Amino acid sequence: MFVLPQTAGCAAFVQLRQLQMDNSSFLSLTVVLLGLLGPCLTRLTPRVSFPMGSPGRRLTSFINDDIKNTTLLLLTPDEETLYVGARDALLELDVSQKDAMTLKNKLDWSPSDKDLEQCSMKGKKLADCSNFIRVLEFLNSSHLYACGTFAFSPRCTYINLDEGRGRCPYDPYQRNTAVIVDGELYTGTVADYRGNRPIIARHLSEGKRLDLKLDDTLGWLEDPTFIRSIYIPHEEKIYFFFSEAGREYDFINKFIVSRVSQICVSDVGGQRTLQRRWTTFAKAQLLCQAGSELPYNVLQDISILPPAEGAPADDTLFYGIFTSQWSVFSIFLYLSTFYLLKGTGCGLHNASDNALRFVKENFLTEDSVRPVARSLTMVSAEHIYCRLSVQRVQAVNRKHYTMLFLLTEAGQLHKAVLLRGGAHIIEEIQVFQNPQAVKSLKLSIPKGVIYVGTSERLVKIPVSNCSFYWNCAQCVLSRDPFCAWDPVGRACVEIFEAQTPLNQDVDGGNVEEACSSALLTHRTRFGPSTCPAGELVSVSLNEVVRLHCPAASQLSQQQWERPNSRLSSSLYLQLKDGSLSFVATPTTLGHYLCLSTENGYRQTMAIYHVKQKSSQAPTSYTHQTPVTQPARRPSPNTSTGRQKDNTPSLSVQSIPASSTHRLHDGELLVSSRGPCYLKELVAVSILLVLCLSLLITISLYFIRQRCHCKTIPQPQPSSRDAGKVTPEEVEPTGNKTLGKSNSEVARGRNARGFVCNGITTSSDGLLPNTPI
């Protein structure tokens, strides 16, 4: 059993080199890895987070109770229509409107009752016997080609239904891939009911071209999980990305490896050797590894990034998500342009039988695909990513930045930008809550939206959210290549819509340089004789006060200041959420200033004036909740998107009165009501005193019972006994008491002797008639 070793500090690097073509290698691939080892990486925290339904992030959803599992998406070339492969249905949605998705047509394609009965008799769950569409491609300009699982009996259709084996999996949860090139369908899937015959094949060939597939007897594939197939026009090749069991590691029980393989679209098979079989198939290992550690060996998803405008076609890049077979870490793999069968080309149909036999026996390259970058860039221990899309954006400085849209298993969509210092997660958007088995992403660059298909619903999300940033500082600190500050319109806008020079700093996020000093909301300072007005907080002495400081972002840090005074740790407690807690005393009354610091820029978030209540004031007072808002009023077409539900509030143990609003230093501070616990505190104190009094009373009672002391009554002597002297009257030393009368003796006894539990004691504490 292998255990993933711990990272040996932050100095670990990947051995980097570029593969060269040799006689025994069919594949040459240039790779760059993105990932940074866990202990070397600070926590990847999204700067802004939007829960589901948050007004700060506009989402458009398509929900229909009769339509589920909308997990296969296909956009038309004009990107006005979105075709959706769902469960038992094919949908045509109009997505031309910015904030709407309208159902235009629905094609029901469900198995018959007989098909469902046969599927159930095979031991399958009835819910899995539906028709889950798994292949959806444009056959030509007028026809679609779709394949579905169809009750574990795959079917395909474009005009009429036909046989679907070898083109679509049987199991709806088994991953597959397909792409259509010039009317021919290329698939990576399984060709049998049990899923034991993996296949990469070509279908719908016409004329002299033949349908081709892998030779099942050669073991070219070992229990693969297909991820994606991508056609590269300038190379006339199709690349298949998948993970499979590595036969070359036969000393490890089912060691998973990630692969990339190629086929040429011009391949027609061999004349004698490899007839109706691929002659251009080759595969290599994608080695995502840092130093001597075990590799991140399981490929999750892959996405293509075309070259920038005017750049050579060889600058095509691929981005992928890798996870480890032994750990929960996820890592990014950044693949640069690669070439398969470089030097030999795709024309092997006229090759000799000896050459084809060599191809048949040496389809796996000796060398693995290794990175050419110097280090890993990103490792996420707290997020497990499952899908991604990638886009290149040109910023205000004319520099291109790579944007990643990453879907987590937990249902969040992360928008990240790759910078020189590593990945920066700009925002986090929750798109679904319940666990989803199959999910998909489809990015529309011309429309500026990304589609997320899940089992619950279909969601359309704009790639930019510039109107959320209410001032220049927040716009620059977001470091979003899509957004920049317009000093004329005093708004954060999309760079494609602006007609004036914009302020932006994606690389550094330097507010002081990017924003004009006249437009900045400077930090408020306490002067020697003046204090800012602030929000009034009336308190009683000895109350516990808690002042909240709203965070500008999840990357900011809050600090507190007082005029001409330091916040002693013996008097003040700053909590993890940035709030300040203390007891109201004459020393702690006065002004408090809350500051937020991010990337070296400090700004005022809240100002409070804590004041003692007057004797005539009621037992209630107002406590305030500061919420940072834009100083200007947004236009009806602009969404400020501030989240009021998640804004921290000030809590002081008193009763609130009316709410107030005040605009200070370009930021709106809003007051709200809050709970009071003064009456409850008095009631609890009274009950505590009563309980203690009762406990003391009961304790004294039992002590008195155990030791009950009282005076012993003495009877009056009769005349007959008046002259007698009792033994008790005789002094231990022999002195007599004849000089005293009986009454005096009695009085002396009562004055000097007491009975405790039936035993007489003298006033000096000694027993009577006891020698001293």
Side-chain angles (χ1 to χ4, degrees), residues 731-772:
E731 292 292 337
T733 58
N735 295 332
K736 298 181 180 180
T737 61
L738 297 178
K740 297 182 180 180
S741 65
N742 293 337
S743 61
E744 291 173 341
V745 172
R747 285 194 300 269
R749 182 183 299 115
N750 290 336
R752 298 173 55 195
F754 297 90
V755 175
C756 182
N757 294 333
I759 301 177
T760 304
T761 60
S762 63
S763 61
D764 57 5
L766 299 176
L767 293 174
N769 301 325
T770 302
I772 298 177

Side-chain angles (χ1 to χ4, degrees), residues 26-38:
F26 288 90
L27 177 137
S28 177
L29 188 62
T30 305
V31 183
V32 181
L33 280 180
L34 289 179
L36 183 64
L37 304 179

Side-chain angles (χ1 to χ4, degrees), residues 193 317 328:
Y193 177 81
L317 306 175
V328 297

Side-chain angles (χ1 to χ4, degrees), residues 572-712:
Y572 299 93
L573 178 62
Q574 185 167 349
L575 306 179
K576 291 183 178 180
D577 62 355
S579 60
L580 187 68
S581 181
F582 57 91
V583 177
T585 65
T587 305
T588 59
L589 297 178
H591 284 80
Y592 291 86
L593 177 67
C594 171
L595 302 173
S596 176
T597 303
E598 181 180 356
N599 200 28
Y601 176 73
R602 305 183 73 187
Q603 59 181 322
T604 303
M605 301 304 297
I607 304 173
Y608 300 101
H609 182 198
V610 182
K611 183 180 179 181
Q612 183 181 357
K613 294 179 183 178
S614 62
S615 58
Q616 292 79 15
T619 58
S620 64
Y621 75 99
T622 304
H623 71 255
Q624 295 78 14
T625 301
V627 180
T628 307
Q629 293 284 0
R632 65 182 184 87
R633 190 176 190 85
S635 63
N637 297 328
T638 305
S639 172
T640 57
R642 298 295 296 156
Q643 300 182 50
K644 297 181 181 179
D645 294 341
N646 295 336
T647 304
S649 61
L650 168 68
S651 62
V652 186
Q653 295 179 354
S654 294
I655 304 297
S658 60
S659 299
T660 60
H661 296 72
R662 181 173 300 177
L663 187 65
H664 179 79
D665 200 22
E667 297 171 350
L668 181 63
L669 302 179
V670 184
S671 63
S672 62
R673 298 176 179 266
C676 169
Y677 304 101
L678 181 59
K679 293 182 179 179
E680 288 81 351
L681 179 62
V682 173
V684 171
S685 301
I686 295 175
L687 289 176
L688 180 61
V689 172
L690 292 176
C691 292
L692 290 176
S693 301
L694 181 61
L695 180 62
I696 293 173
T697 303
I698 294 175
S699 301
L700 291 176
Y701 173 77
F702 281 105
I703 293 174
R704 183 178 179 83
Q705 286 295 103
R706 296 185 62 180
C707 183
H708 178 66
C709 298
K710 65 182 178 177
T711 304
I712 301 176

Side-chain angles (χ1 to χ4, degrees), residues 217-234:
T217 64
L218 297 180
W220 286 2
L221 298 174
E222 296 290 337
D223 192 19
T225 299
F226 291 101
I227 304 301
R228 193 175 179 188
S229 53
I230 301 175
Y231 173 58
I232 307 298
H234 72 278

Side-chain angles (χ1 to χ4, degrees), residues 63-356:
I63 304 176
N64 190 310
D65 294 337
D66 298 331
I67 300 173
K68 300 294 182 182
N69 295 90
T70 55
T71 55
L72 198 59
L73 310 177
L74 180 65
L75 273 170
T76 57
D78 60 5
E79 305 200 1
E80 299 288 329
T81 302
L82 179 67
Y83 292 99
V84 181
R87 184 174 64 188
D88 295 333
L90 179 64
L91 312 178
E92 182 184 8
L93 300 180
D94 181 4
V95 294
S96 59
Q97 302 299 318
K98 185 175 182 180
D99 297 324
M101 288 188 290
T102 306
L103 179 62
K104 296 171 60 177
N105 291 302
K106 177 185 176 185
L107 173 64
D108 292 319
W109 187 19
S110 58
S112 64
D113 293 339
K114 182 179 179 180
D115 294 326
L116 295 175
E117 182 180 357
Q118 292 178 351
C119 178
S120 180
M121 291 178 61
K122 296 176 182 178
K124 303 300 181 181
K125 296 180 181 179
L126 189 60
D128 297 339
C129 291
S130 300
N131 183 26
F132 296 84
I133 298 179
R134 302 305 303 275
V135 174
L136 187 60
E137 295 289 336
F138 289 108
L139 183 64
N140 50 45
S141 60
S142 60
H143 290 81
L144 283 175
Y145 191 82
C147 298
T149 58
F150 209 85
F152 279 78
S153 181
R155 302 281 180 88
C156 294
T157 182
Y158 52 97
I159 297 178
N160 299 314
L161 292 175
D162 63 338
E163 181 62 42
R165 279 181 285 186
R167 311 178 191 184
C168 174
Y170 290 75
D171 193 329
Y173 303 107
Q174 194 167 27
R175 297 189 67 170
N176 69 298
T177 181
V179 61
I180 290 181
V181 179
D182 296 331
E184 296 176 324
L185 175 68
Y186 297 83
T187 62
T189 184
V190 293
D192 65 330
Y193 177 81
R194 298 182 179 274
N196 295 329
R197 290 180 56 200
I199 187 172
I200 293 177
R202 182 173 68 199
H203 310 273
L204 309 179
S205 300
E206 296 180 354
K208 296 181 179 180
R209 293 172 61 84
L210 302 174
D211 288 351
L212 301 179
K213 63 179 181 179
L214 297 181
D215 194 324
D216 299 337
T217 64
L218 297 180
W220 286 2
L221 298 174
E222 296 290 337
D223 192 19
T225 299
F226 291 101
I227 304 301
R228 193 175 179 188
S229 53
I230 301 175
Y231 173 58
I232 307 298
H234 72 278
E235 296 183 10
E236 295 187 349
K237 296 178 182 178
I238 298 177
Y239 296 133
F240 289 84
F241 296 90
F242 55 94
S243 296
E244 67 173 353
R247 288 187 61 185
E248 64 268 37
Y249 302 99
D250 54 0
F251 56 90
I252 301 178
N253 184 20
K254 199 172 183 179
F255 178 75
I256 304 298
V257 295
S258 295
R259 305 284 199 197
V260 56
S261 68
Q262 71 150 30
I263 58 159
C264 296
V265 296
S266 60
D267 197 336
V268 295
Q271 296 180 353
R272 289 176 296 275
T273 303
L274 296 178
Q275 291 185 9
R276 293 181 178 269
R277 300 294 186 267
W278 295 111
T279 62
T280 57
F281 175 81
K283 67 179 181 180
Q285 180 180 353
L286 298 177
L287 189 58
C288 180
Q289 186 179 22
S292 60
E293 290 195 1
L294 293 177
Y296 295 92
N297 56 328
V298 182
L299 180 64
Q300 298 293 329
D301 198 16
I302 201 83
S303 183
I304 186 173
L305 181 64
E309 185 178 357
D314 289 349
D315 288 347
T316 301
L317 306 175
F318 296 86
Y319 288 79
I321 301 175
F322 285 72
T323 57
S324 174
Q325 185 177 351
W326 302 277
S327 71
V328 297
F329 292 123
S330 61
I331 188 173
F332 296 100
L333 176 61
Y334 165 61
L335 304 172
S336 96
T337 306
F338 52 86
Y339 304 95
L340 301 174
L341 290 173
K342 185 177 180 180
T344 58
C346 293
L348 294 179
H349 54 279
N350 293 324
S352 64
D353 290 343
N354 290 333
L356 292 181

